[in-house]
């Protein structure tokens, strides 16, 4: 990858090999009042809760990011019921992400904001992007995030009356509670090397 | 008591007006209607001939893959993502594998990349052929079904000869592709390249595909009933399509020349010449036509790729125990149904900390309440079918 930004206006001179997307990311971050980070070709712009909707309006109207790709959240938690725990202690939060793109050059920006995991509330984006409707319903039932001003925050996938928010890290995977993952331990001897000490119980005739 | 004629007329008119008054009816379509490609339920309010306030009810196929992926290791996840959009299972693996490779900074050998590209395009052809089969059928034309499914079978057989699976190939490995199936018991080599006649047979099949596209075009484009039912029906302007996150052929039919194969460099598409097919009106007809043209373009890509396929390894050197370093990335790819992407959050473990699956059909379907507002009842099926969704891809 050739990443020599020859035409940069020397906005960031801290690193000699700035990512080719860094300039654009900083431009977006400056306009929406957030901080930009480029990781593995993915631009993430973190904004505050208050400027969540305004940031989307700016991204849509000034930067032409008219394509609403997706919205979801990450539960950064130190108490993990399912999967591997984080290696380092983190500040517990729900990170709300929304991915926007344009439909001409292929630019893409992920906007991010941190929510309080106890009472996550944020204004809805439905007025800005109509496509946010279903994505917010999904995030509501999966993470318990309340989207203020959403027209119909009903369950999308889960049955009515379902308790809990399945994609939270505190939500156990119920099948694993009942039956441990069968692939975790090989309880049988491998077929090539039958152990001589114990007689095979599976096929007594042979 | 006698009734004079004026009163009589008044009464009869009153009677008539009562009879003509329409009453809203709630119509349930599904969850097992054949045109819904899975289990989708629509609740529509019907006022006379027109439908209002159509609400799709989804979730019958929800399998919780995002949660399951948190307890699986990276090599196990390819089997899961196969099953998201089962009509083009192979194509689902690509963005996930590329995301993991990006975090691991693995360079995939060129031959493996070309094999991935050929198989992805074959998955696209087979997915579009399912649409070519099912969409006219939903509009009442049964003949194209046989033409399209016969050819799809040929493509699937070729796919199977390499991967060993028709629908769920599970063929990609982090760092390359799996040694192909069909090595036979006599060969002791641990790695096996493509089956010997795969390339020549694929070349023939693609040559034949152009003929089939002509036949399908004759069959459908020459059918006046289909033209009448699709032209000008279900128009989606490009700005509405983008706001709802429509992608793939559905977005291009509205006029946006936006193809991730030209933008994201997840596979070596830059090496080939192909056109981005766009429509003008964004109606059902354009969505059908875009997909037909895309079959032709895919066949062109496959032929060029086979002509220029490099030799070399199938696998880059990767550790036996795949651990993906810490990091976050979003990788998207142009799948047959549209943009499919994975937001991968890794903490350096054997499995991801979080894997957000962005599937094309979910966003494509979410436009239904907008697109079906006030349309004629038979057009519900015409519009719904033209969006080409698969419920496994919606519900994940």
């Amino acid at each position: 990858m050739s990443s020599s930004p020859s035409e940069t206006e020397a906005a960031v001179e801290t690193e000699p090999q700035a990512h080719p997307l860094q300039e654009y990311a900083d431009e977006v971050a400056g306009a929406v009042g957030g901080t930009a980070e480029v990781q593995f070709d993915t631009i993430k712009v973190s904004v505050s809760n208050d400027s969540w909707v305004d940031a989307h309006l700016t991204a849509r109207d000034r930067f032409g990011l008219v394509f609403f790709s997706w919205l979801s959240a990450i539960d950064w938690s130190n108490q993990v019921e399912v999967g591997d725990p984080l290696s380092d202690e983190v500040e517990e939060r729900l990170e709300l992400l929304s991915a926007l793109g344009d439909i001409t050059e292929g630019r893409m920006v992920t906007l991010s904001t941190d929510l309080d995991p106890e009472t996550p509330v944020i204004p809805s984006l439905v007025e800005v992007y109509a496509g946010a409707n279903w994505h917010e319903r999904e995030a509501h039932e999966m993470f318990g995030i309340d989207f203020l001003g959403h027209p119909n925050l009903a369950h999308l996938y889960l049955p009515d009356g379902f308790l809990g928010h399945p994609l939270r890290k505190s939500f156990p995977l119920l099948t694993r509670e009942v039956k441990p993952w069968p692939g975790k331990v090989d309880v049988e001897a491998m077929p090539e090397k039958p152990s001589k000490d114990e007689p095979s119980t599976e096929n007594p005739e042979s | 008591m006698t009734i004079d004629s004026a009163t009589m007329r008044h009464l009869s008119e009153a009677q008539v007006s009562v009879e003509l008054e329409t009453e809203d009816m709630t119509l349930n379509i599904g969850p097992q209607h054949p045109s819904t490609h899975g289990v989708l339920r629509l609740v529509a309010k019907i006022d006379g001939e027109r439908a209002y306030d159509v609400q799709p009810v989804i979730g019958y196929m929800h399998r919780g893959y995002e949660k399951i992926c948190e307890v699986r290791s990276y090599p196990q996840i390819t089997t899961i993502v196969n099953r998201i959009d089962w009509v083009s299972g192979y194509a689902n693996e690509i963005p996930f594998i590329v995301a993991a490779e990006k975090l691991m900074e693995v360079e995939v050998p060129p031959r493996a990349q070309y094999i991935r590209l050929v198989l992805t395009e074959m998955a696209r052809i087979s997915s579009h052929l399912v649409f070519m089969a099912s969409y006219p059928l939903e509009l009442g034309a049964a003949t194209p079904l046989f033409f399209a499914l016969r050819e799809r079978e040929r493509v699937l057989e070729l796919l199977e000869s390499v991967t060993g699976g028709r629908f769920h190939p599970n063929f990609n490995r982090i760092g390359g592709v799996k040694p192909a199936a069909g090595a036979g018991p006599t060969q002791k080599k641990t790695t096996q390249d493509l089956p010997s006649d795969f390339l020549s047979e694929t070349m023939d099949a693609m040559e034949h595909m152009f003929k089939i596209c002509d036949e399908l075009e004759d069959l459908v484009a020459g059918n006046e009933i289909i033209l009448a039912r699709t032209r000008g029906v279900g128009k989606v302007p490009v700005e509405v399509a983008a706001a709802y996150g429509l992608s793939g052929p559905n977005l291009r039919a509205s006029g946006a020349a936006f193809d991730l194969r030209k933008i994201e460099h997840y596979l070596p598409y830059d090496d080939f010449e192909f056109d981005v097919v766009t429509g003008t009106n964004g109606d059902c007809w354009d969505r059908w036509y875009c997909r037909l043209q895309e079959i032709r373009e895919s066949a062109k890509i496959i032929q060029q790729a086979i002509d220029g396929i490099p030799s070399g390894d199938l696998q880059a050197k990767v550790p036996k125990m795949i651990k993906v370093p810490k990091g976050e990335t979003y990788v998207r790819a142009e799948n047959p149904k549209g943009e499919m992407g994975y937001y991968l959050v890794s903490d350096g473990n054997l499995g991801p900390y979080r894997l957000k699956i962005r599937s094309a059909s979910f966003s494509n379907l979410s436009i239904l309440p907008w697109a079906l507002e006030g349309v004629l009842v038979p057009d519900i099926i015409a519009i719904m079918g033209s969006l080409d969704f698969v419920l496994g891809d919606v519900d994940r």
Side-chain angles (χ1 to χ4, degrees):
Chain A
M1 298 280 167
S2 62
S3 61
S4 59
S6 53
E7 311 147 63
T8 64
E9 294 160 24
V12 202
E13 291 277 35
T14 48
E15 280 193 318
Q17 285 178 319
H19 195 281
L21 292 172
Q22 187 71 48
E23 194 193 345
Y24 179 74
D26 288 337
E27 198 187 328
V28 177
V32 303
T35 51
E37 181 193 7
V38 182
Q39 242 194 77
F40 300 99
D41 307 334
T42 304
I43 300 175
K44 192 203 272 187
V45 176
S46 306
V47 297
S48 67
N49 284 0
D50 299 333
S51 56
W52 179 246
V53 176
D54 288 339
H56 284 81
L57 276 170
T58 313
R60 186 189 70 179
D61 297 336
R62 246 187 78 185
F63 292 92
L65 301 171
V66 293
F67 177 78
F68 188 83
S69 184
W70 51 271
L71 176 143
S72 192
I74 305 170
D75 184 10
W76 294 103
S77 170
N78 296 314
Q79 300 292 318
V80 171
E81 283 283 337
V82 168
D84 301 313
L86 287 166
S87 49
D88 304 322
E89 191 103 331
V90 289
E91 185 198 338
E92 299 220 337
R93 64 194 194 274
L94 276 178
E95 186 182 0
L96 186 65
L97 297 167
S98 78
L100 315 170
D102 67 10
I103 49 170
T104 46
E105 291 161 57
R107 298 222 187 251
M108 183 150 232
V109 171
T110 315
L111 289 175
S112 140
T113 190
D114 287 339
L115 301 175
D116 174 19
E118 301 299 322
T119 51
V121 180
I122 194 92
S124 167
L125 294 176
V126 172
E127 294 295 315
V128 190
Y129 293 99
N133 190 324
W134 282 21
H135 289 274
E136 287 182 351
R137 280 172 70 183
E138 188 189 357
H140 172 69
E141 65 180 359
M142 292 296 170
F143 290 96
I145 302 170
D146 266 326
F147 293 93
L148 298 176
H150 190 285
N152 174 27
L153 213 51
H155 276 179
L156 188 67
Y157 292 136
L158 302 172
D160 292 337
F162 189 95
L163 289 178
H165 306 295
L167 281 181
R168 289 263 190 139
K169 286 285 176 180
S170 57
F171 191 91
L173 194 59
L174 291 176
T175 42
R176 283 290 164 281
E177 303 288 308
V178 180
K179 189 173 188 288
W181 168 234
K184 201 154 191 170
V185 199
D186 278 330
V187 284
E188 295 170 32
M190 294 296 279
E192 285 88 1
K193 297 174 193 167
S195 54
K196 286 171 187 171
D197 304 338
E198 298 167 24
S200 170
T201 51
E202 282 183 16
N203 198 351
E205 283 166 305
S206 64
Chain B
M1 186 183 135
T2 57
I3 301 174
D4 61 280
S5 62
T7 317
M8 192 74 155
R9 198 180 308 123
H10 175 75
L11 275 177
S12 68
E13 274 171 7
Q15 186 68 32
V16 165
S17 77
V18 165
E19 271 178 14
L20 279 182
E21 199 165 274
T22 57
E23 198 179 325
D24 280 3
M25 187 180 92
T26 305
L27 179 70
N28 246 310
I29 306 175
Q32 270 145 5
H33 194 274
S35 75
T36 56
H37 302 248
V39 273
L40 166 72
R41 189 174 138 219
L42 291 182
V43 183
K45 283 210 176 65
I46 307 289
D47 180 8
E49 299 252 349
R50 296 196 176 264
Y52 295 92
D53 192 20
V54 183
Q55 290 302 330
V57 181
I58 62 172
Y60 295 96
M61 294 284 302
H62 185 238
R63 294 151 289 176
Y65 280 163
E66 289 180 16
K67 186 79 171 177
I68 297 175
C69 287
E70 290 174 6
V71 295
R72 292 286 202 273
S73 66
Y74 289 95
Q76 288 171 333
I77 289 175
T78 50
T79 58
I80 291 178
V81 298
N82 269 176
R83 284 150 178 82
I84 294 173
D85 170 10
W86 53 70
V87 180
S88 57
Y90 185 82
N92 298 340
E93 296 175 20
I94 298 292
F96 170 71
I97 287 284
V98 173
E101 282 163 355
K102 201 172 234 180
L103 292 185
M104 292 176 74
E105 296 177 4
V106 175
E107 195 76 29
V108 180
R111 186 175 176 85
Q113 294 209 11
Y114 267 60
I115 293 173
R116 282 182 182 179
L117 186 143
V118 168
L119 297 179
T120 308
E121 291 307 311
M122 285 169 73
R124 186 184 319 278
I125 289 178
S126 82
S127 167
H128 282 357
L129 281 175
V130 171
F131 175 77
M132 290 295 142
S134 66
Y135 188 52
L137 184 74
E138 283 157 19
L139 297 178
T143 320
L145 175 100
F146 303 104
F147 284 71
L149 286 190
R150 185 186 62 201
E151 293 316 307
R152 170 175 176 259
E153 207 54 36
R154 188 166 173 187
V155 174
L156 286 181
E157 269 167 20
L158 285 167
L159 205 64
E160 187 185 4
S161 74
V162 180
T163 65
R166 277 158 50 89
F167 278 15
H168 307 307
N170 190 22
F171 188 61
N172 285 295
R173 298 291 179 268
I174 288 171
V177 294
K178 189 177 113 180
T186 53
Q187 295 196 358
K188 287 259 165 137
K189 278 198 298 183
T190 48
T191 53
Q192 146 91 9
D193 210 280
L194 294 172
S196 53
D197 47 0
F198 170 75
L199 293 179
S200 59
E201 279 189 16
T202 309
M203 208 66 163
D204 291 348
M206 291 307 124
E207 202 57 55
H208 189 58
M209 194 59 69
F210 293 116
K211 266 187 244 155
I212 293 303
C213 287
D214 293 343
E215 280 182 0
L216 281 170
E217 193 169 354
D218 279 352
L219 265 175
V220 176
N223 186 326
E224 281 186 30
I225 299 173
I226 287 190
L227 290 181
R229 289 202 55 191
T230 54
R231 282 221 167 128
V233 173
K235 279 191 183 181
V236 181
V238 67
E239 57 271 17
V240 178
Y244 273 99
L246 252 68
S247 50
N250 293 329
L251 180 65
R252 288 192 284 276
S254 296
F258 187 71
D259 191 324
L260 294 175
R261 289 177 289 178
K262 295 274 190 193
I263 288 163
E264 304 277 344
H265 305 284
Y266 60 100
L267 285 176
Y269 281 107
D270 295 347
D271 300 356
F272 313 115
E273 276 182 24
F274 65 99
D275 297 330
V276 177
V277 187
T278 55
T280 45
N281 299 322
D283 55 7
C284 293
W285 173 253
D286 278 356
R287 289 193 276 275
W288 179 86
Y289 194 72
C290 276
R291 290 196 176 89
L292 181 76
Q293 289 294 74
E294 280 188 14
I295 298 180
R296 291 185 168 128
E297 296 301 321
S298 289
K300 260 162 61 182
I301 296 173
I302 292 175
Q303 287 193 331
Q304 293 174 55
I306 289 176
D307 273 338
I309 193 164
S311 54
D313 292 337
L314 295 179
Q315 270 277 352
K317 283 239 177 308
V318 288
K320 277 217 168 108
M321 201 72 138
I322 301 265
K323 279 195 177 179
V324 173
K326 223 173 184 171
E328 293 178 22
T329 190
Y330 178 63
V331 172
R332 54 181 178 160
E334 185 70 37
N335 261 33
K337 304 274 188 293
E339 173 186 329
M340 171 143 211
Y342 296 87
Y343 195 89
L344 174 62
V345 183
S346 179
D347 190 49
N349 285 318
L350 293 173
Y353 181 74
R354 167 101 173 93
L355 185 71
K356 160 69 190 168
I357 303 170
R358 195 272 184 204
S359 62
S361 298
F362 179 74
S363 293
N364 288 351
L365 190 70
S366 74
I367 202 174
L368 270 190
W370 183 90
L372 296 182
E373 186 66 22
V375 302
L376 293 170
V377 172
D379 286 349
I380 294 179
I381 305 297
I383 294 169
M384 205 161 70
S386 75
L387 290 172
D388 188 25
F389 53 83
V390 159
L391 260 289
D393 201 24
V394 175
D395 287 353
R396 304 190 299 278

